[in-house]
PDB file of all heavy atoms in Angstrom:
ATOM      1  N   PRO A 270      -7.583 -42.357 -21.177  1.00 87.00           N
ATOM      2  CA  PRO A 270      -6.391 -41.705 -20.624  1.00 87.00           C
ATOM      3  C   PRO A 270      -6.465 -41.604 -19.103  1.00 87.00           C
ATOM      4  O   PRO A 270      -7.553 -41.520 -18.519  1.00 87.00           O
ATOM      5  CB  PRO A 270      -6.428 -40.311 -21.267  1.00 87.00           C
ATOM      6  CG  PRO A 270      -7.868 -40.065 -21.579  1.00 87.00           C
ATOM      7  CD  PRO A 270      -8.454 -41.409 -21.906  1.00 87.00           C
ATOM      8  N   ASP A 271      -5.302 -41.621 -18.442  1.00 86.00           N
ATOM      9  CA  ASP A 271      -5.241 -41.468 -16.988  1.00 86.00           C
ATOM     10  C   ASP A 271      -5.476 -40.019 -16.571  1.00 86.00           C
ATOM     11  O   ASP A 271      -6.053 -39.755 -15.522  1.00 86.00           O
ATOM     12  CB  ASP A 271      -3.876 -41.935 -16.468  1.00 86.00           C
ATOM     13  CG  ASP A 271      -3.775 -43.458 -16.416  1.00 86.00           C
ATOM     14  OD1 ASP A 271      -4.820 -44.129 -16.445  1.00 86.00           O
ATOM     15  OD2 ASP A 271      -2.650 -43.955 -16.351  1.00 86.00           O
ATOM     16  N   ASP A 272      -5.016 -39.077 -17.376  1.00 89.00           N
ATOM     17  CA  ASP A 272      -5.122 -37.660 -17.021  1.00 89.00           C
ATOM     18  C   ASP A 272      -6.586 -37.245 -16.929  1.00 89.00           C
ATOM     19  O   ASP A 272      -7.356 -37.439 -17.879  1.00 89.00           O
ATOM     20  CB  ASP A 272      -4.416 -36.798 -18.078  1.00 89.00           C
ATOM     21  CG  ASP A 272      -4.514 -35.322 -17.753  1.00 89.00           C
ATOM     22  OD1 ASP A 272      -3.898 -34.882 -16.780  1.00 89.00           O
ATOM     23  OD2 ASP A 272      -5.260 -34.620 -18.486  1.00 89.00           O
ATOM     24  N   PRO A 273      -7.041 -36.661 -15.800  1.00 90.00           N
ATOM     25  CA  PRO A 273      -8.456 -36.300 -15.632  1.00 90.00           C
ATOM     26  C   PRO A 273      -8.961 -35.314 -16.680  1.00 90.00           C
ATOM     27  O   PRO A 273     -10.096 -35.442 -17.158  1.00 90.00           O
ATOM     28  CB  PRO A 273      -8.501 -35.693 -14.225  1.00 90.00           C
ATOM     29  CG  PRO A 273      -7.308 -36.250 -13.527  1.00 90.00           C
ATOM     30  CD  PRO A 273      -6.255 -36.406 -14.582  1.00 90.00           C
ATOM     31  N   HIS A 274      -8.141 -34.337 -17.039  1.00 92.00           N
ATOM     32  CA  HIS A 274      -8.586 -33.347 -18.022  1.00 92.00           C
ATOM     33  C   HIS A 274      -8.742 -33.988 -19.401  1.00 92.00           C
ATOM     34  O   HIS A 274      -9.713 -33.713 -20.125  1.00 92.00           O
ATOM     35  CB  HIS A 274      -7.593 -32.188 -18.075  1.00 92.00           C
ATOM     36  CG  HIS A 274      -7.476 -31.434 -16.791  1.00 92.00           C
ATOM     37  ND1 HIS A 274      -8.511 -30.674 -16.280  1.00 92.00           N
ATOM     38  CD2 HIS A 274      -6.453 -31.337 -15.897  1.00 92.00           C
ATOM     39  CE1 HIS A 274      -8.129 -30.122 -15.136  1.00 92.00           C
ATOM     40  NE2 HIS A 274      -6.890 -30.518 -14.877  1.00 92.00           N
ATOM     41  N   ALA A 275      -7.801 -34.853 -19.769  1.00 92.00           N
ATOM     42  CA  ALA A 275      -7.909 -35.552 -21.056  1.00 92.00           C
ATOM     43  C   ALA A 275      -9.119 -36.474 -21.067  1.00 92.00           C
ATOM     44  O   ALA A 275      -9.809 -36.619 -22.080  1.00 92.00           O
ATOM     45  CB  ALA A 275      -6.627 -36.349 -21.326  1.00 92.00           C
ATOM     46  N   ARG A 276      -9.401 -37.097 -19.919  1.00 92.00           N
ATOM     47  CA  ARG A 276     -10.563 -37.985 -19.851  1.00 92.00           C
ATOM     48  C   ARG A 276     -11.868 -37.193 -19.967  1.00 92.00           C
ATOM     49  O   ARG A 276     -12.816 -37.630 -20.606  1.00 92.00           O
ATOM     50  CB  ARG A 276     -10.544 -38.772 -18.532  1.00 92.00           C
ATOM     51  CG  ARG A 276     -11.590 -39.861 -18.471  1.00 92.00           C
ATOM     52  CD  ARG A 276     -11.464 -40.712 -17.223  1.00 92.00           C
ATOM     53  NE  ARG A 276     -10.215 -41.456 -17.179  1.00 92.00           N
ATOM     54  CZ  ARG A 276      -9.951 -42.397 -16.282  1.00 92.00           C
ATOM     55  NH1 ARG A 276     -10.851 -42.710 -15.360  1.00 92.00           N
ATOM     56  NH2 ARG A 276      -8.794 -43.028 -16.309  1.00 92.00           N
ATOM     57  N   GLN A 277     -11.913 -36.015 -19.322  1.00 94.00           N
ATOM     58  CA  GLN A 277     -13.110 -35.174 -19.432  1.00 94.00           C
ATOM     59  C   GLN A 277     -13.349 -34.769 -20.881  1.00 94.00           C
ATOM     60  O   GLN A 277     -14.486 -34.790 -21.376  1.00 94.00           O
ATOM     61  CB  GLN A 277     -12.945 -33.920 -18.565  1.00 94.00           C
ATOM     62  CG  GLN A 277     -14.093 -32.921 -18.689  1.00 94.00           C
ATOM     63  CD  GLN A 277     -15.252 -33.275 -17.789  1.00 94.00           C
ATOM     64  OE1 GLN A 277     -15.131 -33.290 -16.586  1.00 94.00           O
ATOM     65  NE2 GLN A 277     -16.396 -33.555 -18.368  1.00 94.00           N
ATOM     66  N   THR A 278     -12.278 -34.417 -21.588  1.00 94.00           N
ATOM     67  CA  THR A 278     -12.398 -34.042 -23.000  1.00 94.00           C
ATOM     68  C   THR A 278     -12.886 -35.213 -23.832  1.00 94.00           C
ATOM     69  O   THR A 278     -13.779 -35.069 -24.675  1.00 94.00           O
ATOM     70  CB  THR A 278     -11.042 -33.546 -23.530  1.00 94.00           C
ATOM     71  OG1 THR A 278     -10.625 -32.408 -22.765  1.00 94.00           O
ATOM     72  CG2 THR A 278     -11.138 -33.174 -25.002  1.00 94.00           C
ATOM     73  N   LEU A 279     -12.310 -36.393 -23.599  1.00 93.00           N
ATOM     74  CA  LEU A 279     -12.732 -37.589 -24.337  1.00 93.00           C
ATOM     75  C   LEU A 279     -14.184 -37.921 -24.036  1.00 93.00           C
ATOM     76  O   LEU A 279     -14.931 -38.340 -24.928  1.00 93.00           O
ATOM     77  CB  LEU A 279     -11.836 -38.768 -23.973  1.00 93.00           C
ATOM     78  CG  LEU A 279     -12.175 -40.105 -24.651  1.00 93.00           C
ATOM     79  CD1 LEU A 279     -12.085 -39.981 -26.169  1.00 93.00           C
ATOM     80  CD2 LEU A 279     -11.251 -41.206 -24.148  1.00 93.00           C
ATOM     81  N   TYR A 280     -14.596 -37.721 -22.785  1.00 94.00           N
ATOM     82  CA  TYR A 280     -15.984 -37.993 -22.388  1.00 94.00           C
ATOM     83  C   TYR A 280     -16.957 -37.139 -23.203  1.00 94.00           C
ATOM     84  O   TYR A 280     -17.921 -37.645 -23.776  1.00 94.00           O
ATOM     85  CB  TYR A 280     -16.138 -37.710 -20.897  1.00 94.00           C
ATOM     86  CG  TYR A 280     -17.544 -37.848 -20.356  1.00 94.00           C
ATOM     87  CD1 TYR A 280     -18.077 -39.099 -20.093  1.00 94.00           C
ATOM     88  CD2 TYR A 280     -18.327 -36.730 -20.081  1.00 94.00           C
ATOM     89  CE1 TYR A 280     -19.363 -39.238 -19.572  1.00 94.00           C
ATOM     90  CE2 TYR A 280     -19.604 -36.861 -19.557  1.00 94.00           C
ATOM     91  CZ  TYR A 280     -20.112 -38.124 -19.299  1.00 94.00           C
ATOM     92  OH  TYR A 280     -21.374 -38.251 -18.786  1.00 94.00           O
ATOM     93  N   ARG A 281     -16.683 -35.850 -23.304  1.00 93.00           N
ATOM     94  CA  ARG A 281     -17.585 -34.963 -24.043  1.00 93.00           C
ATOM     95  C   ARG A 281     -17.508 -35.235 -25.547  1.00 93.00           C
ATOM     96  O   ARG A 281     -18.523 -35.189 -26.242  1.00 93.00           O
ATOM     97  CB  ARG A 281     -17.260 -33.500 -23.727  1.00 93.00           C
ATOM     98  CG  ARG A 281     -17.481 -33.154 -22.259  1.00 93.00           C
ATOM     99  CD  ARG A 281     -17.519 -31.653 -22.046  1.00 93.00           C
ATOM    100  NE  ARG A 281     -18.661 -31.032 -22.716  1.00 93.00           N
ATOM    101  CZ  ARG A 281     -19.899 -31.019 -22.225  1.00 93.00           C
ATOM    102  NH1 ARG A 281     -20.156 -31.594 -21.068  1.00 93.00           N
ATOM    103  NH2 ARG A 281     -20.878 -30.429 -22.876  1.00 93.00           N
TER     104      ARG A 281
END
Side-chain angles (χ1 to χ4, degrees):
D271 283 342
D272 179 69
H274 297 293
R276 189 174 296 189
Q277 176 84 63
T278 300
L279 179 60
Y280 176 78
R281 297 195 65 81

